[in-house]
């Protein structure tokens, strides 16, 4: 038999799309069993991170924030102020101080977040019908604590002040309705439209968990592809000379494990945060879940594309941090997007998390029609398909250049 005929007979037939996908799928499963650290980053590490974030915000509303009082009046009225402060749901009267030196030490050590100074003339000024001034010293570096404490203290002091003025006017012969009208001749009636309970779990936990999964998903894509380059094992993943369809199947077979693992965790968490907590979702629950899954798929592909484009695991992981780490800060959740400088707004619009979190907010809080929110996840899905096609083309080129493998 001629050698050419023998070579023709012995050459294996090229694998089809489904066969190549299955081959790489099982290869990845075997690699994960051999690499406990890689398996951890796709299993219990994301679960631990999501669980920690959920637990941190599970209380919903911050309560019992520690404050102190420096009572220089020692009157029945000043003691009533202290009792009212301790009874406020958001506050806890942690200490009573004797002098300003103790107050300064307590604030610097972080023992309390604020101290209310009651002047020595409080009761006398009130009895004379004069205005009395209480001073709240608060640590504005802790913005959330400071804002909540100021709100609670204003409520307590305003309630006491209104009660004192109401009692004084009724003693002078005014009727109770007339006295109340004089206390507040002009009022603003606030009507909370969305997140009426001011629930931090619903607002922050629901936004931070997708941000964390975004980081993990892009890292998983960059690590899975970049490690093949670093270990010079691309040939075991995709033989040189493979077609574009085979390269696409090999790419999807490798990325299927992180996408499936993180996508399943996202679905369970999302349903637990909404239906499991008894939240009333005014928009589309399934639509918001669809957006989250598409967003995570896009994140995994972004990491893989970064590794294939740079052909370096180190550079791909750096690009992952550059894109995902500031995503939450630029999304408009923690700081208004419209208040950012123009360049910051441009950068925010380039980040996929900004568009995802807008969809989530519209469905979870605003109850917007799904037709209004659908374009964002559909665009992300289209971009994911284009990224997958581009990454497959890059993978073919990388597989054909073994001399470029091994870069860190």
């Amino acid at each position: 038999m001629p050698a050419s005929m023998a070579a023709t007979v012995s050459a294996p037939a090229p694998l089809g799309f489904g066969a190549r996908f299955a081959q790489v799928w099982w290869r990845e499963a075997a690699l994960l069993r051999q690499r406990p650290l890689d398996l951890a980053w796709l299993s219990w590490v994301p679960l631990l991170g999501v669980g920690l974030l959920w637990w941190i915000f599970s209380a919903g509303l911050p309560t019992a924030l520690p404050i102190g009082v420096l009572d220089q009046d020692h009157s029945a009225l000043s003691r009533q102020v202290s009792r009212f402060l301790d009874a406020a749901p958001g506050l806890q009267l942690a200490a009573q101080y004797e002098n300003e030196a103790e107050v300064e030490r307590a604030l610097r050590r972080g023992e309390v977040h604020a101290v209310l100074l009651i002047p020595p003339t409080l009761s006398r000024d009130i009895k004379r019908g004069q205005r009395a001034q209480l001073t709240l010293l608060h640590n504005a570096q802790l913005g959330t604590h400071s804002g909540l404490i100021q709100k609670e203290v204003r409520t307590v002091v305003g309630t006491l002040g209104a009660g004192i003025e109401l009692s004084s006017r009724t003693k002078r012969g005014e009727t109770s309705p007339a006295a109340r009208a004089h206390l507040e001749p002009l009022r603003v009636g606030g009507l909370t439209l969305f997140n009426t309970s001011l629930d931090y779990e619903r607002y922050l936990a629901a936004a931070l968990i997708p941000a964390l999964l975004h980081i993990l998903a892009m890292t998983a894509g960059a690590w899975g592809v970049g490690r093949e380059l670093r270990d010079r094992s691309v040939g075991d993943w995709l033989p040189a000379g493979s077609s574009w369809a085979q390269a696409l199947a090999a790419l999807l077979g490798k990325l299927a494990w992180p996408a499936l693992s993180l996508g399943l965790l996202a679905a369970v968490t999302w349903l637990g945060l909404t239906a499991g907590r008894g939240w009333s979702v005014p928009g589309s629950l399934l639509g918001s879940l669809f957006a989250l899954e598409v967003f995570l798929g896009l994140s995994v592909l972004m990491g893989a594309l970064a590794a294939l484009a740079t052909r370096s695991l180190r550079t791909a992981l750096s690009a992952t941090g550059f894109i995902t780490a500031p995503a939450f800060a630029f999304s408009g959740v923690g700081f208004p997007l419209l208040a950012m400088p123009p360049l910051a707004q441009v950068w925010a619009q380039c980040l996929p998390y900004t568009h995802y979190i807008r969809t989530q907010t519209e469905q979870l809080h605003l109850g917007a029609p799904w037709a209004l929110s659908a374009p964002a996840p559909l665009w992300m899905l289209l971009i994911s398909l284009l990224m997958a096609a581009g990454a497959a083309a890059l993978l073919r080129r990388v597989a054909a250049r073994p001399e470029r493998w091994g870069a860190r």
Side-chain angles (χ1 to χ4, degrees):
M1 181 182 294
S4 60
M5 184 179 296
T8 303
V9 172
S10 61
L15 296 177
F17 184 93
R20 176 66 67 188
F21 178 89
Q23 181 190 56
V24 176
W25 167 276
W26 290 115
R27 175 177 178 269
E28 288 300 306
L31 289 175
L32 288 175
R33 287 195 298 268
Q34 298 167 12
R35 300 168 178 173
L37 185 59
D38 287 19
L39 182 60
W41 280 103
L42 296 183
S43 56
W44 64 266
V45 170
L47 182 62
L48 180 63
V50 169
L52 180 62
L53 278 177
W54 195 345
W55 172 72
I56 289 173
F57 295 100
S58 60
L61 282 172
T63 58
L65 296 172
I67 69 167
V69 169
L70 175 56
D71 186 357
Q72 298 174 317
D73 190 43
H74 302 291
S75 64
L77 179 58
S78 65
R79 288 190 292 271
Q80 189 178 16
V81 171
S82 298
R83 288 195 301 270
F84 272 51
L85 288 174
D86 198 30
L91 304 178
Q92 178 187 9
L93 186 55
Q96 298 255 9
Y97 301 106
E98 299 296 329
N99 53 64
E100 294 182 0
E102 291 182 1
V103 169
E104 182 178 359
R105 284 195 297 269
L107 288 172
R108 289 187 181 278
R109 292 173 181 171
E111 297 172 358
V112 293
H113 298 309
V115 174
L116 184 66
L117 305 183
I118 301 178
T121 59
L122 173 68
S123 181
R124 185 188 66 190
D125 291 343
I126 293 297
K127 289 178 181 178
R128 292 178 177 178
Q130 298 175 350
R131 180 181 296 274
Q133 180 72 43
L134 303 179
T135 303
L136 179 67
L137 306 177
H138 58 95
N139 184 3
Q141 287 182 321
L142 304 174
T144 301
H145 301 65
S146 176
L148 291 172
I149 289 173
Q150 290 182 71
K151 175 179 175 292
E152 293 282 1
V153 171
R154 286 196 189 102
T155 301
V156 167
V157 174
T159 301
L160 276 171
I164 292 170
E165 181 66 18
L166 183 62
S167 176
S168 175
R169 287 181 174 274
T170 53
K171 287 179 181 179
R172 294 198 297 265
E174 289 190 26
T175 63
S176 293
R180 292 191 182 95
H182 282 110
L183 288 177
E184 293 183 295
L186 185 63
R187 297 184 61 184
V188 174
L191 180 61
T192 304
L193 299 177
F194 314 110
N195 194 17
T196 54
S197 63
L198 303 178
D199 192 336
Y200 279 82
E201 180 186 26
R202 186 164 184 156
Y203 177 67
L204 277 180
L208 285 170
I209 288 175
L212 173 63
L213 293 175
H214 176 42
I215 296 173
L216 294 173
M218 190 171 176
T219 301
W223 177 262
V225 175
R227 185 162 183 170
E228 299 280 7
L229 290 163
R230 187 195 67 181
D231 297 344
R232 305 183 65 87
S233 57
V234 179
D236 300 331
W237 174 24
L238 179 72
S242 298
S243 66
W244 176 84
Q246 290 178 320
L248 180 62
L251 177 70
L252 296 180
K254 171 172 282 294
L255 300 183
W257 280 104
L260 179 63
S261 174
L262 296 175
L264 180 61
L265 175 60
V268 171
T269 303
W270 192 242
L271 293 175
L273 270 174
T274 52
R277 297 289 280 174
W279 294 356
S280 175
V281 179
S284 172
L285 178 60
L286 292 180
S288 61
L289 181 58
F290 167 74
L292 178 57
E293 298 295 346
V294 171
F295 170 60
L296 292 180
L298 174 63
S299 302
V300 174
L301 282 167
M302 287 170 61
L305 187 63
L308 290 169
T310 61
R311 303 188 183 186
S312 166
L313 173 60
R314 182 182 302 164
T315 306
L317 291 177
S318 298
T320 296
F322 182 73
I323 293 172
T324 62
F328 179 81
F330 283 85
S331 65
V333 174
F335 187 85
L337 185 61
L338 294 177
M340 295 180 187
L343 288 179
Q345 294 186 38
V346 171
W347 173 239
Q349 296 298 334
C350 294
L351 299 176
Y353 179 78
T354 303
H355 302 281
Y356 162 73
I357 200 61
R358 183 182 299 126
T359 300
Q360 175 182 300
T361 301
E362 290 170 352
Q363 296 304 308
L364 185 62
H365 297 291
L366 306 183
W370 174 242
L372 181 67
S373 302
L378 292 178
W379 273 109
M380 284 193 287
L381 181 60
L382 176 60
I383 293 171
S384 298
L385 295 176
L386 295 176
M387 277 191 175
L394 283 175
L395 178 56
R396 286 189 67 203
R397 296 175 59 182
V398 168
R401 301 283 300 276
E403 70 275 6
R404 298 289 300 274
W405 305 345
R408 294 285 173 178

